[in-house]
Amino acid sequence: MRAGFTRTLSALAAMLLLPAISLAQTVSVEGVRLWRAPDHTRLVLDLSGPVEHNLMTLRGPDRIVIDMKGASNAADFDALELDKTPISRVRHAVHDGANLRVVLDLSRAVKPRSFPLKPLQQMPDRLVIDLHDTVAPVEKTIADVKSSGGDRDIIIAIDAGHGGEDPGALGPGRVREKDVVLAIARAMHKEINAMRGFKAKLVRDGDYYIPLRDRVKKGKRFGADLFVSIHADAFTRKGANGASVFALSQRGASSETARFLAQRENESDLIGGVGGTLDLSDADEMLAGVLLDLSMTATMNDSLEAGASVLEQMGQVTRLHKPRVEQANFAVLRSPDVPSILVETGFITNPAEARALSTPAYQRKLARQVARGVASYFERKPPEDSLLAKAGPQKPDQVIIARGDTLSGIAARYNVSVAALKSANRLRSSALRVGQKLRIP
């Protein structure tokens, strides 16, 4: 009797365990991608569901072993392009009867890090393996080579949004935001470097992802006088169109579209793949910068003025979504001491604009206008230790009024009288409004 009862319990226990085992075995690797960045290599595994994993580093020879509990493989590891990466070969096999083991044979030692990512937007469950180079590339920043005799170049950091695992917005005809904005950023890089007194530096110069906070840090490390982040809009309505320029807002977005775009762009770290480990290494520095309220206000005002200059130039070649610089809390603009703007070159979800944005000639045209807007701003307000300042203020045909501008201040800046400004612009009073165009006699 007792023996029969024991057998029944054993049978029930086995039946209860079967669904769990079956469930675990249904998780499979559906796809695999490889990205190479300047200082690390990223391997991404697309999964049919969450999976437990374990990572080991082995020596003699160097290799990385990833075990995934109860997983199977349906991906083509042989199709990976391993050139310029530390991975010489990828192997996989069933391990312990029910687990999937993936082995990365290495040509050199690396520092590995792995973390899972939950499904988001079009992305499934993923397992990310980052292989960090043990010898970091020597990157001589522009800040290191600035001359000190009042003749330095003005530094422009150009940030192409998204990249790598994060494609950004997707348009008709498989147009990807990350490809469009990198092409525009590279064209703008050439335009800026062709201008006397300016030097451009690309934050991202390839198809790889950089976390939002690291983009801000990189701009500061370059010693940037202006940080320009290049993007392409996406919206729920395909009819939405036009280019925009954004500056930071710490209080709220200037429109519902601005709020929507900021929320979408700020999710990039979740799509591009940033692990959950909290990094507080520079918390004091960042906190101190934000607490310097007066400095932050001045930076935001400079950002608005630079943005207005860029917006005016872009309006000469494309339709504008809004006639003024908008504001929203974009993470990539949160620098307390570097004026920063985000340029949305158009709506990639609009079929007509998507076709234009994927055309090299149109990309170069937009890049030229953004570069001209940047140059126009600094010709009016050059850094004191720059070559442009040494050459003396350039008198433009007209200026765009930014927040904080006064008629007397503009008169002093361009060595003209207030009366002459009023006469040239048929002004009855000294009151000015942001965005107003003023002719300089």
Side-chain angles (χ1 to χ4, degrees), residues 17 20 78-79 82 89 140 144 195 214 217 222 253 261 263 265 281 287 322 349 387 406 410 415:
L17 286 173
D78 293 334
L82 304 179
R89 185 174 58 155
K140 195 171 186 181
D144 295 331
M195 297 175 177
D214 289 350
K217 290 180 184 177
F222 292 154
L261 293 174
Q263 180 179 348
E265 296 296 355
S281 60
L287 181 60
K322 289 286 179 67
T349 45
L387 178 65
T406 62
I410 292 171
N415 196 28

Side-chain angles (χ1 to χ4, degrees), residues 116-422:
L117 290 174
K118 295 180 180 179
L120 184 67
Q121 296 183 17
Q122 75 275 15
M123 295 295 189
D125 278 286
R126 287 165 291 163
L127 178 61
V128 178
I129 299 99
D130 281 341
L131 308 177
H132 293 272
D133 299 341
T134 54
V135 179
V138 178
E139 184 180 63
K140 195 171 186 181
T141 66
I142 295 177
D144 295 331
V145 296
K146 279 184 177 179
S147 41
S148 58
D151 58 355
R152 74 168 181 87
D153 288 335
I154 294 171
I155 310 306
I156 310 299
I158 306 171
D159 169 46
H162 307 281
E165 184 66 5
D166 176 18
L170 302 175
R174 303 179 65 85
V175 179
R176 301 183 299 185
E177 181 182 2
K178 68 172 184 177
D179 301 326
V180 168
V181 298
L182 180 59
I184 294 173
R186 285 171 169 167
M188 184 181 165
H189 181 264
K190 291 181 180 178
E191 293 285 342
I192 291 289
N193 281 337
M195 297 175 177
R196 181 174 179 268
F198 288 89
K199 186 67 178 178
K201 189 75 171 178
L202 289 168
V203 173
R204 173 173 78 88
D205 190 20
D207 189 13
Y208 50 86
Y209 187 74
I210 301 176
L212 299 177
R213 196 175 182 186
D214 289 350
R215 295 171 190 255
V216 177
K217 290 180 184 177
K218 202 165 184 180
K220 188 170 183 177
R221 193 163 68 245
F222 292 154
D225 296 289
L226 180 68
F227 181 95
V228 182
S229 192
I230 307 293
H231 290 259
D233 281 341
F235 201 57
T236 52
R237 291 185 293 103
K238 291 183 179 180
N241 63 88
S244 308
V245 177
F246 291 85
L248 181 67
S249 169
Q250 293 180 295
R251 296 180 180 177
S254 56
S255 71
E256 183 62 21
T257 303
R259 184 201 62 77
F260 175 86
L261 293 174
Q263 180 179 348
R264 186 182 68 83
E265 296 296 355
N266 291 346
E267 288 181 342
S268 284
D269 279 351
L270 301 177
I271 300 170
V274 176
T277 303
L278 183 62
D279 179 12
L280 297 176
S281 60
D282 65 343
D284 290 342
E285 176 188 349
M286 293 296 292
L287 181 60
V290 173
L291 290 177
L292 292 174
D293 188 55
L294 291 177
S295 173
M296 192 69 180
T297 300
T299 300
M300 288 172 64
N301 286 340
D302 287 340
S303 301
L304 286 166
E305 189 172 350
S309 182
V310 169
L311 195 66
E312 181 192 19
Q313 292 295 324
M314 292 182 71
Q316 296 179 15
V317 299
T318 189
R319 183 186 181 280
L320 300 179
H321 186 66
K322 289 286 179 67
R324 65 184 184 279
V325 177
E326 294 203 76
Q327 290 183 264
N329 194 9
F330 288 92
V332 79
L333 300 182
R334 296 174 192 162
S335 177
D337 53 359
V338 179
S340 304
I341 61 174
L342 186 145
V343 177
E344 295 280 8
T345 53
F347 281 82
I348 205 166
T349 45
N350 180 292
E353 290 197 344
R355 285 193 296 272
L357 286 168
S358 60
T359 304
Y362 187 70
Q363 293 167 354
R364 290 192 296 269
K365 185 187 295 185
L366 284 178
R368 187 180 308 116
Q369 296 307 113
V370 176
R372 286 176 178 174
V374 168
S376 177
Y377 165 71
F378 280 109
E379 284 168 358
R380 298 191 304 271
K381 295 184 67 174
E384 293 182 358
D385 60 343
S386 67
L387 178 65
L388 218 58
K390 186 177 181 181
Q394 306 296 306
K395 186 183 291 187
D397 294 331
Q398 66 178 18
V399 297
I400 301 173
I401 303 305
R403 187 178 300 175
D405 276 345
T406 62
L407 202 63
S408 59
I410 292 171
R413 188 189 307 167
Y414 298 112
N415 196 28
V416 298
S417 67
V418 171
L421 278 175
K422 283 185 173 181

